[in-house]
Amino acid sequence: MRPREAQPNLLVVVADVGDEVAVGPLLAELGEAIRTLTAGTDARLLGLPPGDLTITVGVGPRLVRLAGPSLPGTTDLPEFDRERISPAARGGDLLLQVCAGDAVVPSVAAAALLDQAGDRIRERWRQAGRRGSTVAVNQDLTAPRNVFGFLDGIVGPHTTAQQRRDLWLAGPPPVAGGTIAVLRRMELDLRRFATLSVSDQEAVFGRRRDTGAPLSGGTIASDPDLSAKTPDGRYLIPADAHLRRAHPATVGVGLMLRRSYSIDEPAPGLLFISFQNDIRTFTNTLTRMDDGDALLSFTTTTASATFLILPGFDQLPLGATMFD
Amino acid sequence: MRPREAQPNLLVVVADVGDEVAVGPLLAELGEAIRTLTAGTDARLLGLPPGDLTITVGVGPRLVRLAGPSLPGTTDLPEFDRERISPAARGGDLLLQVCAGDAVVPSVAAAALLDQAGDRIRERWRQAGRRGSTVAVNQDLTAPRNVFGFLDGIVGPHTTAQQRRDLWLAGPPPVAGGTIAVLRRMELDLRRFATLSVSDQEAVFGRRRDTGAPLSGGTIASDPDLSAKTPDGRYLIPADAHLRRAHPATVGVGLMLRRSYSIDEPAPGLLFISFQNDIRTFTNTLTRMDDGDALLSFTTTTASATFLILPGFDQLPLGATMFD
């Protein structure tokens, strides 16, 4: 199984589920609505062609713990540095991630899902995002340009073997083929970043701004050489460059699939979204970044949540057997 | 002069200007920043190609009154029905409307303008918007689909003669070639609208949902026939249809150029933007709509503002002579 190529338009809704709500039937109903929405047979689409509409549903740690304390996805995200997160924007029971090529379809599809759930859920926050213009990394992968002008999401589990190892959850149903999502909404300090020279900006990321090539050389598709040095002994990819600090080889974790989207509100920034089959891939990476990643000083995180992403479904209801 | 075709991505920032600020120099600096941003020579673009980046600057009624009580644009918008507007989202001194084909350029260009203005201005609210997929009305005009699935902005001053009559301000500098903008952010009740049958939805708008043709017949490009009736004497375009209520012939005003954008946050809806050379074109139309437009019951307006749009500039500084 391969993840679908990211669509240009995203809407994320994070909600809580009421204490008395039967979660299994709620998920089954959402699954049925997803089926009719993506098939284009749901009147709530108001005649809009769904196109490549893709809806991903996640269940927050509180609900996963209720379903089974030994399931993956029971762990809340800890607090990290450089956070300014209101209580409403930390955690949550339910993730609805709606992506499409069309610019208005995500809003309309999300409204249909919220209509389906009715007063069983309570919206906490929502965030729209867009992928900037993209550059091809290889024939299967494109990287979008973020509001810092840099290309994003280049390193990741892009081969089937890597995805089996680091992306998809193994084990028995109901989680086999699912994954763990981390969402972090960040404001980015464009004003201060723009005062840097281009080469200083590139030193922050560890890549060329125009091409996305690592500072160790090659093309955007080249593996960064973290040991490469200048003739006078300095690292080509600086010690505090994001590419080095966040690299799986530096952190000692598996690969995360990063599917971040640029945002305009409440301030210019990024909705960072990563998928991995072990939340420690994310938490260990960010802990390592907190300890000296040059990029972090330009970020303020304003929302944070993790979810168990339910496997795609063809026959079974969404979340089948998990909340029996 | 023809207005440029609308770009798919928009970011609007509404700000106040400090009491002690010299407005003329501020506008001149913003104009110079607009010149370097649109030329792609501004380092604050972070290497992003500006493409069709277009920046429109407007001055709110308070500042226009300071510049000259006889200028157009001195009139604040009154309150209307179905408003839920916080004090911060009503009015404002300065409009920065940033549009581009690229999804991240508006945020980056707006950040550069805010950087230029520094603490001379204070942001009140911002709103990102997107044009849905479009349908060609004629060779010069496309209409985007909104979150109700209907096509928007079909009737308007689309000929040069109509634009001279109803869109552009006449008279001496500094306003000749400018216009008056009205911005209204609206939440739309998708949930209730989706419970209507398609024909009931079409009766609300007065147009076919799929093609945009008026219910009096023809194509999307056809003039609506407001007097056309069924054999049993009912209007083809119902008495409370939006197309009839808001039609210039019904209201007795000129044409307004509507350039609305769909929004995802804080709720699905519309950032209505209209341009006209007389604010009464808007206020008389909305007064008439308040008195029985079927569409209005699905709307809640959450932001409202009007601005004198400064003429495009090639040689003169932006706003030249207005605040001397």
Side-chain angles (χ1 to χ4, degrees):
Chain A
M1 184 161 83
R2 293 191 62 81
R4 193 167 189 170
E5 173 75 349
Q7 292 96 335
N9 301 290
L10 162 134
L11 180 62
V12 152
V13 179
V14 174
D16 276 345
V17 175
D19 282 340
E20 308 299 314
V21 170
V23 179
L26 170 63
L27 291 176
E29 279 181 45
L30 290 174
E32 184 54 28
I34 290 169
R35 202 190 304 268
T36 56
L37 288 166
T38 53
T41 59
D42 195 307
R44 293 170 294 196
L45 265 183
L46 299 166
L48 294 166
D52 56 1
L53 170 65
T54 301
I55 298 168
T56 304
V57 177
V59 178
R62 187 185 74 88
L63 286 189
V64 178
R65 288 192 293 266
L66 289 178
S70 64
L71 289 169
T74 57
T75 308
D76 289 297
L77 281 177
E79 293 187 23
F80 292 95
D81 289 350
R82 305 195 60 78
E83 293 185 345
R84 193 185 69 227
I85 302 178
S86 70
R90 190 184 292 282
D93 288 337
L94 190 67
L95 167 71
L96 302 172
Q97 179 182 339
V98 187
C99 293
D102 185 277
V104 305
V105 160
S107 256
V108 178
L113 295 170
L114 294 173
D115 173 57
Q116 189 69 49
D119 57 11
R120 288 177 290 181
I121 72 173
R122 185 179 57 80
E123 184 172 330
R124 276 174 160 237
W125 57 280
R126 63 169 56 203
Q127 184 66 52
R130 314 289 156 180
R131 269 165 72 90
S133 65
T134 58
V135 166
V137 178
N138 57 46
Q139 62 182 25
D140 294 323
L141 178 70
T142 61
R145 229 172 254 286
N146 62 31
V147 294
F148 277 163
F150 278 77
L151 294 159
D152 230 342
I154 301 167
V155 174
H158 302 310
T159 71
T160 304
Q162 290 168 337
Q163 288 164 8
R164 195 181 307 120
R165 188 189 68 201
D166 294 336
L167 177 58
W168 305 121
L169 290 165
V175 298
T179 184
I180 306 284
V182 169
L183 277 73
R184 306 268 295 173
R185 184 178 61 198
M186 278 172 239
E187 293 184 12
L188 297 180
D189 189 347
L190 271 65
R191 194 168 173 173
R192 190 162 68 85
F193 193 75
T195 65
L196 303 182
S197 68
V198 175
S199 63
D200 284 350
Q201 292 174 8
E202 292 177 336
V204 168
F205 276 91
R207 291 188 179 273
R208 298 283 171 217
R209 193 175 73 179
D210 55 352
T211 64
L215 294 182
S216 52
T219 70
I220 188 173
S222 303
D223 283 331
D225 180 353
L226 297 176
S227 62
K229 293 188 177 179
T230 61
D232 59 338
R234 290 176 296 112
Y235 280 124
L236 287 173
I237 298 172
D240 63 351
H242 176 61
L243 175 55
R244 175 186 298 277
R245 284 278 157 175
H247 197 277
T250 308
V251 184
V253 294
L255 294 156
M256 60 175 84
L257 181 68
R258 290 171 297 146
R259 290 289 187 90
S260 299
Y261 282 76
S262 290
I263 64 175
D264 304 302
E265 304 160 292
L270 197 72
L271 181 61
F272 171 93
I273 306 178
S274 72
F275 300 100
Q276 52 275 305
N277 59 15
D278 187 337
I279 194 172
R280 289 170 298 185
T281 298
F282 175 80
T283 53
N284 290 0
T285 301
L286 188 48
T287 300
R288 177 86 189 181
M289 289 167 63
D290 275 347
D291 185 31
D293 185 311
L295 182 56
L296 271 189
S297 79
F298 298 93
T299 69
T300 304
T301 297
T302 61
S304 177
T306 179
F307 300 93
L308 170 63
I309 299 298
L310 300 172
F313 57 103
D314 289 320
Q315 304 299 326
L316 291 174
L318 179 68
T321 79
M322 190 168 157
F323 290 93
D324 285 352
Chain B
M1 184 162 81
R2 293 191 63 81
R4 193 166 189 169
E5 174 75 350
Q7 291 97 334
N9 301 291
L10 161 133
L11 180 62
V12 152
V13 179
V14 174
D16 276 345
V17 176
D19 282 340
E20 306 301 313
V21 170
V23 180
L26 171 63
L27 291 177
E29 280 183 44
L30 290 174
E32 184 53 29
I34 290 169
R35 202 189 306 266
T36 56
L37 288 166
T38 53
T41 59
D42 195 308
R44 294 171 292 197
L45 263 184
L46 299 165
L48 295 166
D52 56 2
L53 170 64
T54 301
I55 298 169
T56 303
V57 177
V59 177
R62 185 185 75 86
L63 286 190
V64 178
R65 287 192 294 264
L66 289 178
S70 64
L71 288 169
T74 56
T75 309
D76 289 298
L77 281 177
E79 294 188 23
F80 292 96
D81 288 351
R82 305 195 60 79
E83 292 185 345
R84 193 184 69 229
I85 302 178
S86 70
R90 190 184 293 281
D93 288 339
L94 190 68
L95 166 72
L96 302 171
Q97 178 182 340
V98 187
C99 293
D102 185 277
V104 305
V105 161
S107 255
V108 178
L113 295 170
L114 295 173
D115 173 56
Q116 188 69 49
D119 58 11
R120 288 177 289 180
I121 71 171
R122 186 179 56 78
E123 183 173 329
R124 276 173 160 238
W125 58 279
R126 62 169 55 204
Q127 184 67 51
R130 314 289 156 181
R131 270 165 71 91
S133 63
T134 57
V135 166
V137 178
N138 57 47
Q139 62 183 24
D140 294 321
L141 179 70
T142 61
R145 228 171 253 288
N146 61 30
V147 293
F148 277 163
F150 278 77
L151 293 160
D152 231 340
I154 302 167
V155 174
H158 303 310
T159 70
T160 303
Q162 289 168 338
Q163 288 164 10
R164 195 180 307 118
R165 188 189 67 202
D166 293 337
L167 177 57
W168 305 120
L169 289 165
V175 299
T179 183
I180 305 284
V182 169
L183 277 72
R184 305 268 296 173
R185 184 178 63 197
M186 278 172 237
E187 293 186 11
L188 296 180
D189 188 348
L190 272 63
R191 194 169 173 171
R192 189 162 68 84
F193 193 75
T195 64
L196 303 182
S197 67
V198 174
S199 62
D200 284 350
Q201 292 173 11
E202 292 177 335
V204 167
F205 276 90
R207 291 188 179 275
R208 298 285 171 214
R209 192 175 75 180
D210 54 353
T211 64
L215 294 183
S216 52
T219 71
I220 187 172
S222 302
D223 283 332
D225 179 352
L226 298 175
S227 63
K229 293 187 177 182
T230 61
D232 58 338
R234 289 176 296 111
Y235 279 125
L236 287 173
I237 298 172
D240 63 351
H242 176 60
L243 176 55
R244 175 187 297 278
R245 284 277 156 176
H247 198 277
T250 307
V251 183
V253 293
L255 294 156
M256 59 176 83
L257 181 67
R258 290 171 297 146
R259 288 287 187 93
S260 300
Y261 281 76
S262 290
I263 65 175
D264 303 304
E265 304 161 290
L270 196 73
L271 181 61
F272 170 93
I273 307 177
S274 72
F275 300 100
Q276 52 275 306
N277 59 14
D278 186 339
I279 196 173
R280 290 170 296 186
T281 298
F282 175 81
T283 52
N284 290 0
T285 301
L286 188 48
T287 299
R288 176 87 190 181
M289 288 167 62
D290 274 348
D291 185 32
D293 185 311
L295 183 57
L296 271 189
S297 78
F298 298 93
T299 69
T300 304
T301 297
T302 62
S304 178
T306 180
F307 300 94
L308 169 63
I309 300 297
L310 299 172
F313 56 104
D314 290 320
Q315 303 300 327
L316 292 174
L318 179 67
T321 77
M322 188 165 160
F323 290 93
D324 285 352

